Amino acid sequence: AARTRHATPTPQGESIFDASVVLPCAYEYEYAARTVRSVSAATPPEILREIVVVDDGSTPPLRIPEPARWKAFVVRLEKTGGLIRARIAGAAAATGAVIVFFDCHVRPMDGYWRGLLAPIEADYRVATVPTVTRLDAATWQPVGSPTRGGAKCYLTFDTDFKWTFDATDDVPIMSGGLVAISRRWWNETGGYDSSMLGWGGENIDLSLRIWRCGGAIKAAKESYVAHMYREPGKPKTAARFRVPKGAPTRNRATSARAHFGRLWAKTA
């Protein structure tokens, strides 16, 4: 059975779970180190259980300078398995009561953890997503307003997802890899589907799994995480790994077959 740690009192008088931050990284040497430092700086030590950096088959292997200083360690996958399988490996190594999945090129803003973790403390079946803003890879600063970004998506019948904005905290579909979930609920729902390859579609499957199993996904609207996006005109932001051809489409089809029931035929 999954274990849930006791809440940890903080200096502010709050009571919150501790968290493991999982960073799947493939060939992102500089960004991995910057992201580790940023997560450590933005998260109080009594909240941060550890930073789990998953080296997804990078050659040469990824190294984090002074890992103990940042409460970080590296889980090495000798062969690149893709973003989904890297996250699964990171979750398996995590020991915190809450697992926070980030990408390997983000900078969370100060206090981001409060809005992510508090709803999970109230109900372990709630997953939370931050407000995602844009990060400048060169300066490592948020681009534009640091509080303007997206947090939620909706599902279309071609198993795609689109950004949406409304006044509620409910998130029909999470956008991708930035999400917090209790380790207990991760284990009870089964987490990501290990049959999926590369990336794409795992957010749909996990979102539907959470809702259909009696949980909920909430937007942590005041939890800001700046994210570096891939930009064609900026080689430094380019991905250094390959996604198997057709993998995102197959992954979305897997999600639809698992959750759409009799409506599955309409997506084929």
Side-chain angles (χ1 to χ4, degrees):
R3 295 180 292 122
T4 300
R5 298 180 185 275
H6 293 295
T8 302
T10 71
Q12 295 84 4
E14 299 167 329
S15 179
I16 204 78
F17 291 152
D18 64 358
S20 299
V21 177
V22 173
L23 305 176
C25 304
Y27 297 91
E28 297 195 76
Y29 303 101
E30 175 188 351
Y31 297 143
R34 284 182 133 187
T35 299
V36 164
R37 293 195 296 268
S38 297
V39 169
S40 180
T43 316
E46 64 272 17
I47 299 300
L48 183 63
R49 165 70 59 157
E50 65 216 349
I51 302 172
V52 184
V53 180
V54 183
D55 179 6
D56 191 17
S58 304
T59 304
L62 189 149
R63 298 281 185 265
I64 300 297
E66 301 180 276
R69 178 179 178 183
W70 318 113
K71 302 180 77 170
F73 65 91
V74 176
V75 173
R76 166 79 176 168
L77 303 182
E78 292 301 326
K79 182 179 179 182
T80 301
L83 190 61
I84 298 167
R85 295 182 181 181
R87 289 184 189 142
I88 292 172
T95 62
V98 176
I99 303 171
V100 180
F101 293 100
F102 283 159
D103 287 338
C104 204
H105 36 262
V106 303
R107 179 184 172 185
M109 300 294 104
D110 289 343
Y112 80 94
W113 52 273
R114 291 190 178 91
L116 284 183
L117 302 189
I120 301 174
E121 182 186 17
D123 183 349
Y124 81 94
R125 297 175 302 173
V126 172
T128 55
V129 294
T131 298
V132 184
T133 62
R134 187 174 293 274
L135 179 67
D136 186 305
T139 65
W140 211 247
Q141 296 293 324
V143 177
S145 170
T147 61
R148 288 183 59 86
K152 60 173 71 179
C153 297
Y154 66 90
L155 179 65
T156 61
F157 272 109
D158 60 353
T159 62
D160 202 354
F161 58 96
K162 311 290 185 184
W163 289 99
T164 185
F165 302 89
D166 60 38
T168 72
D169 292 335
D170 290 332
V171 176
I173 299 292
M174 64 183 78
S175 64
L178 278 62
V179 59
I181 184 170
S182 72
R183 193 154 53 92
R184 178 180 175 184
W185 192 227
W186 168 266
N187 289 329
E188 289 183 4
T189 59
Y192 289 124
D193 186 338
S194 61
S195 72
M196 292 184 175
L197 300 175
W199 65 270
E202 78 282 0
N203 59 317
I204 295 172
D205 178 65
L206 184 60
S207 297
L208 293 175
R209 215 183 280 202
I210 289 170
W211 283 110
R212 296 185 70 210
C213 290
I217 309 171
K218 298 292 184 178
K221 294 182 178 179
E222 295 185 0
S223 294
Y224 303 108
V225 179
H227 176 276
M228 183 204 78
Y229 290 92
R230 310 293 184 186
E231 299 183 50
K234 297 182 179 179
K236 283 196 69 173
T237 70
R240 302 296 196 274
F241 57 90
R242 293 183 180 180
V243 177
K245 185 177 181 181
T249 300
R250 288 194 299 272
N251 292 344
R252 292 198 301 268
T254 298
S255 300
R257 182 181 287 275
H259 298 286
F260 282 17
R262 60 184 177 82
L263 297 176
W264 153 251
K266 293 189 175 184
T267 70

